Protein backbone atom coordinates (compact mmCIF):
# COMPACT_ATOMS: atom_id res chain seq x y z
CA UNK A 1 0.00 0.00 0.00
CA UNK A 2 1.38 3.42 -0.96
CA UNK A 3 1.64 6.33 1.48
CA UNK A 4 -1.16 8.07 -0.40
CA UNK A 5 -3.40 5.02 -0.11
CA UNK A 6 -2.60 4.76 3.60
CA UNK A 7 -3.55 8.39 4.17
CA UNK A 8 -6.82 7.88 2.35
CA UNK A 9 -7.37 4.73 4.33
CA UNK A 10 -6.86 6.64 7.55
CA UNK A 11 -9.75 8.90 6.59
CA UNK A 12 -11.99 5.93 5.82
CA UNK A 13 -11.15 4.26 9.13
CA UNK A 14 -12.05 7.44 11.05
CA UNK A 15 -15.20 8.79 9.36
CA UNK A 16 -16.09 10.90 12.41
CA UNK A 17 -12.88 12.95 12.46
CA UNK A 18 -13.11 16.69 12.83
CA UNK A 19 -11.50 19.05 10.34
CA UNK A 20 -8.72 19.71 12.86
CA UNK A 21 -8.02 15.98 13.25
CA UNK A 22 -7.92 15.39 9.50
CA UNK A 23 -5.54 18.31 9.15
CA UNK A 24 -3.34 16.77 11.86
CA UNK A 25 -3.06 13.51 9.92
CA UNK A 26 -2.02 15.36 6.77
CA UNK A 27 0.60 17.27 8.75
CA UNK A 28 2.07 14.08 10.22
CA UNK A 29 2.40 12.65 6.71
CA UNK A 30 3.74 15.86 5.16
CA UNK A 31 7.51 15.53 4.51
CA UNK A 32 7.81 19.31 4.54
CA UNK A 33 7.11 19.18 8.28
CA UNK A 34 9.81 16.63 9.04
CA UNK A 35 11.78 19.43 10.70
CA UNK A 36 9.12 19.52 13.42
CA UNK A 37 9.57 15.83 14.19
CA UNK A 38 13.35 16.17 14.14
CA UNK A 39 13.21 19.10 16.53
CA UNK A 40 10.96 17.04 18.80
CA UNK A 41 13.57 14.25 18.90
CA UNK A 42 16.37 16.77 19.47
CA UNK A 43 14.52 18.55 22.27
CA UNK A 44 13.24 15.37 23.89
CA UNK A 45 16.68 13.75 23.91
CA UNK A 46 18.17 16.98 25.23
CA UNK A 47 15.75 16.94 28.16
CA UNK A 48 16.33 13.24 28.84
CA UNK A 49 20.13 13.53 28.89
CA UNK A 50 20.01 16.79 30.85
CA UNK A 51 18.13 14.91 33.58
CA UNK A 52 19.96 11.56 33.34
CA UNK A 53 23.48 12.96 33.19
CA UNK A 54 22.49 16.03 35.17
CA UNK A 55 21.43 13.95 38.17
CA UNK A 56 24.92 12.44 38.29
CA UNK A 57 26.62 15.81 37.83
CA UNK A 58 24.50 17.61 40.43
CA UNK A 59 24.92 14.74 42.87
CA UNK A 60 28.69 15.15 42.63
CA UNK A 61 28.52 18.95 42.81
CA UNK A 62 26.19 18.82 45.83
CA UNK A 63 28.20 16.19 47.72
CA UNK A 64 25.70 13.38 47.29
CA UNK A 65 22.52 15.38 47.92
CA UNK A 66 20.66 13.75 45.02
CA UNK A 67 21.31 10.09 45.88
CA UNK A 68 21.27 6.97 43.72
CA UNK A 69 17.56 6.23 43.93
CA UNK A 70 16.64 9.75 42.84
CA UNK A 71 19.28 9.63 40.10
CA UNK A 72 17.72 6.56 38.50
CA UNK A 73 14.14 7.71 39.10
CA UNK A 74 14.53 11.12 37.47
CA UNK A 75 15.19 9.84 33.90
CA UNK A 76 12.17 7.54 34.08
CA UNK A 77 9.91 10.40 35.14
CA UNK A 78 11.38 12.54 32.35
CA UNK A 79 10.60 9.83 29.79
CA UNK A 80 6.99 9.73 31.00
CA UNK A 81 6.67 13.49 30.70
CA UNK A 82 8.21 13.65 27.23
CA UNK A 83 5.95 10.89 25.84
CA UNK A 84 2.89 12.62 27.27
CA UNK A 85 3.63 16.15 26.10
CA UNK A 86 5.50 15.49 22.85
CA UNK A 87 4.99 11.87 21.83
CA UNK A 88 2.30 12.82 19.31
CA UNK A 89 4.82 14.88 17.34
CA UNK A 90 7.58 12.37 16.59
CA UNK A 91 6.74 9.21 18.52
CA UNK A 92 9.19 10.20 21.28
CA UNK A 93 11.88 7.66 20.37
CA UNK A 94 14.66 9.58 22.23
CA UNK A 95 17.01 6.67 21.62
CA UNK A 96 18.78 5.48 18.45
CA UNK A 97 18.11 1.80 19.15
CA UNK A 98 14.38 2.49 19.52
CA UNK A 99 14.31 4.22 16.14
CA UNK A 100 16.18 1.33 14.49
CA UNK A 101 13.95 -1.22 16.21
CA UNK A 102 10.82 0.44 14.83
CA UNK A 103 12.42 0.47 11.36
CA UNK A 104 13.37 -3.21 11.57
CA UNK A 105 9.77 -3.95 12.56
CA UNK A 106 8.64 -2.09 9.40
CA UNK A 107 6.82 0.39 11.64
CA UNK A 108 9.08 3.30 10.66
CA UNK A 109 10.46 4.34 7.27
CA UNK A 110 14.19 3.73 6.89
CA UNK A 111 14.56 6.97 4.96
CA UNK A 112 13.70 8.86 8.16
CA UNK A 113 16.14 6.97 10.39
CA UNK A 114 19.30 9.05 9.68
CA UNK A 115 17.55 12.30 10.55
CA UNK A 116 16.22 10.90 13.82
CA UNK A 117 19.63 9.53 14.81
CA UNK A 118 21.37 12.83 14.07
CA UNK A 119 18.74 14.73 16.08
CA UNK A 120 19.09 12.36 19.04
CA UNK A 121 22.88 12.46 19.17
CA UNK A 122 22.86 16.24 18.70
CA UNK A 123 20.35 16.68 21.52
CA UNK A 124 22.46 14.51 23.83
CA UNK A 125 25.63 16.42 22.96
CA UNK A 126 23.94 19.78 23.52
CA UNK A 127 22.65 18.66 26.91
CA UNK A 128 26.12 17.55 27.97
CA UNK A 129 27.71 20.78 26.79
CA UNK A 130 25.08 22.72 28.75
CA UNK A 131 25.81 20.76 31.93
CA UNK A 132 29.54 21.34 31.50
CA UNK A 133 28.99 25.07 30.96
CA UNK A 134 26.91 25.33 34.14
CA UNK A 135 28.75 22.99 36.52
CA UNK A 136 32.19 22.47 34.99
CA UNK A 137 33.87 19.06 35.07
CA UNK A 138 31.98 16.91 37.55
CA UNK A 139 31.71 13.09 37.81
CA UNK A 140 33.06 12.48 34.29
CA UNK A 141 30.39 14.90 33.05
CA UNK A 142 27.65 12.43 33.89
CA UNK A 143 29.08 9.63 31.77
CA UNK A 144 27.83 6.07 32.03
CA UNK A 145 30.75 3.90 33.10
CA UNK A 146 31.19 0.37 34.48
CA UNK A 147 30.74 0.47 38.23
CA UNK A 148 33.59 -0.20 40.66
CA UNK A 149 34.51 -3.86 40.58
CA UNK A 150 32.69 -4.57 37.30
CA UNK A 151 34.37 -5.21 33.96
CA UNK A 152 33.50 -3.92 30.50
CA UNK A 153 32.31 -7.41 29.59
CA UNK A 154 29.92 -7.53 32.53
CA UNK A 155 28.63 -4.07 31.74
CA UNK A 156 28.17 -5.04 28.09
CA UNK A 157 26.09 -8.05 29.08
CA UNK A 158 23.93 -5.99 31.45
CA UNK A 159 23.41 -3.24 28.88
CA UNK A 160 22.27 -5.84 26.35
CA UNK A 161 19.92 -7.41 28.89
CA UNK A 162 18.27 -4.22 30.13
CA UNK A 163 17.96 -2.86 26.58
CA UNK A 164 16.23 -6.10 25.58
CA UNK A 165 13.62 -5.36 28.23
CA UNK A 166 13.30 -1.68 27.34
CA UNK A 167 12.83 -2.20 23.59
CA UNK A 168 10.47 -5.12 24.20
CA UNK A 169 8.38 -2.88 26.45
CA UNK A 170 8.29 -0.06 23.90
CA UNK A 171 7.49 -2.28 20.92
CA UNK A 172 4.77 -4.05 22.90
CA UNK A 173 3.18 -0.79 24.03
CA UNK A 174 3.29 0.62 20.51
CA UNK A 175 1.49 -2.37 19.05
CA UNK A 176 -1.52 -1.85 21.27
CA UNK A 177 -1.71 1.08 23.67
CA UNK A 178 0.44 3.24 21.34
CA UNK A 179 3.68 5.00 22.21
CA UNK A 180 1.95 8.34 22.78
CA UNK A 181 -0.54 7.55 25.52
CA UNK A 182 -0.48 7.42 29.31
CA UNK A 183 -0.16 3.62 29.51
CA UNK A 184 2.93 3.48 27.31
CA UNK A 185 4.41 6.51 29.07
CA UNK A 186 4.00 4.67 32.35
CA UNK A 187 5.41 1.44 30.90
CA UNK A 188 8.51 3.04 29.33
CA UNK A 189 9.24 5.41 32.21
CA UNK A 190 8.60 2.74 34.81
CA UNK A 191 10.94 0.32 33.07
CA UNK A 192 13.72 2.94 32.95
CA UNK A 193 13.41 3.34 36.72
CA UNK A 194 13.29 -0.41 37.30
CA UNK A 195 16.38 -1.06 35.17
CA UNK A 196 18.29 1.74 36.90
CA UNK A 197 17.49 0.44 40.35
CA UNK A 198 19.04 -2.98 39.82
CA UNK A 199 21.46 -2.53 36.90
CA UNK A 200 22.70 0.99 37.59
CA UNK A 201 25.55 -0.08 39.90
CA UNK A 202 26.92 -2.37 37.19
CA UNK A 203 26.78 -0.27 34.03
CA UNK A 204 24.81 2.89 34.75
CA UNK A 205 21.80 1.38 32.92
CA UNK A 206 22.17 3.65 29.93
CA UNK A 207 20.25 1.56 27.34
CA UNK A 208 20.77 4.50 25.00
CA UNK A 209 23.88 5.16 22.85
CA UNK A 210 22.99 8.87 22.57
CA UNK A 211 22.76 9.26 26.36
CA UNK A 212 26.26 7.77 26.72
CA UNK A 213 27.70 9.60 23.73
CA UNK A 214 27.00 13.14 24.97
CA UNK A 215 29.05 13.00 28.19
CA UNK A 216 31.81 11.00 26.47
CA UNK A 217 32.07 13.70 23.81
CA UNK A 218 32.41 16.46 26.39
CA UNK A 219 34.83 14.59 28.66
CA UNK A 220 36.86 13.17 25.78
CA UNK A 221 36.84 9.74 27.44
CA UNK A 222 35.83 7.07 24.93
CA UNK A 223 37.49 4.11 26.65
CA UNK A 224 34.23 2.40 27.60
CA UNK A 225 31.91 3.87 24.98
CA UNK A 226 31.84 0.65 22.94
CA UNK A 227 29.96 -0.99 25.83
CA UNK A 228 27.14 1.52 25.51
CA UNK A 229 26.86 1.14 21.75
CA UNK A 230 27.37 -2.59 21.30
CA UNK A 231 25.31 -3.66 24.35
CA UNK A 232 22.14 -1.72 23.47
CA UNK A 233 22.38 -2.69 19.80
CA UNK A 234 22.60 -6.38 20.68
CA UNK A 235 19.72 -6.08 23.14
CA UNK A 236 17.63 -4.24 20.54
CA UNK A 237 18.23 -6.92 17.87
CA UNK A 238 17.14 -9.67 20.25
CA UNK A 239 14.07 -7.61 21.24
CA UNK A 240 13.04 -7.23 17.59
CA UNK A 241 13.37 -10.99 17.16
CA UNK A 242 11.25 -11.58 20.25
CA UNK A 243 8.61 -9.18 18.92
CA UNK A 244 8.40 -11.12 15.66
CA UNK A 245 7.92 -14.34 17.63
CA UNK A 246 5.21 -12.82 19.82
CA UNK A 247 3.32 -10.66 17.33
CA UNK A 248 4.65 -11.24 13.81
CA UNK A 249 5.33 -8.25 11.59
CA UNK A 250 4.48 -4.68 12.52
CA UNK A 251 0.93 -3.39 12.27
CA UNK A 252 -0.66 -0.06 11.21
CA UNK A 253 -1.27 1.04 14.80
CA UNK A 254 2.37 0.45 15.69
CA UNK A 255 3.44 2.42 12.63
CA UNK A 256 1.30 5.37 13.61
CA UNK A 257 2.69 5.19 17.15
CA UNK A 258 6.28 5.12 15.89
CA UNK A 259 5.65 8.12 13.64
CA UNK A 260 3.74 10.09 16.24
CA UNK A 261 0.23 10.22 14.79
CA UNK A 262 -2.08 10.62 17.80
CA UNK A 263 -5.03 8.89 16.14
CA UNK A 264 -3.50 5.47 15.55
Amino acid sequence: MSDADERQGSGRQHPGLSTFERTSIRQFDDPRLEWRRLFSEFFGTFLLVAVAAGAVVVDAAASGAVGRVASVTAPGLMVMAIILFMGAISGAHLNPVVTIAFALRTDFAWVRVPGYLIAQFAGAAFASVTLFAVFGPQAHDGATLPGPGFSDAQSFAIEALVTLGLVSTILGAASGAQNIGPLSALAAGGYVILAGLWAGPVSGASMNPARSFGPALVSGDYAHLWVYFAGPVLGMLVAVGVAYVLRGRGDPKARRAAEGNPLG
Side-chain angles (χ1 to χ4, degrees), residues 22 36 55 89 95 131 135 140 188 197 202 205 222 237 242-243 245 262:
R22 292 181 185 277
R36 183 173 293 166
I89 305 300
N95 186 335
L131 291 172
F135 298 104
H140 300 280
L197 287 173
V202 181
Y222 303 101
L237 292 174
V242 169
V245 172

Side-chain angles (χ1 to χ4, degrees), residues 25-44:
I25 289 180
R26 288 196 297 272
Q27 289 178 344
F28 285 123
D29 289 326
D30 189 347
R32 293 173 297 178
L33 295 178
E34 184 71 2
W35 65 269
R36 183 173 293 166
R37 292 183 282 266
L38 295 179
F39 177 76
S40 174
E41 287 297 307
F42 169 86
F43 185 47

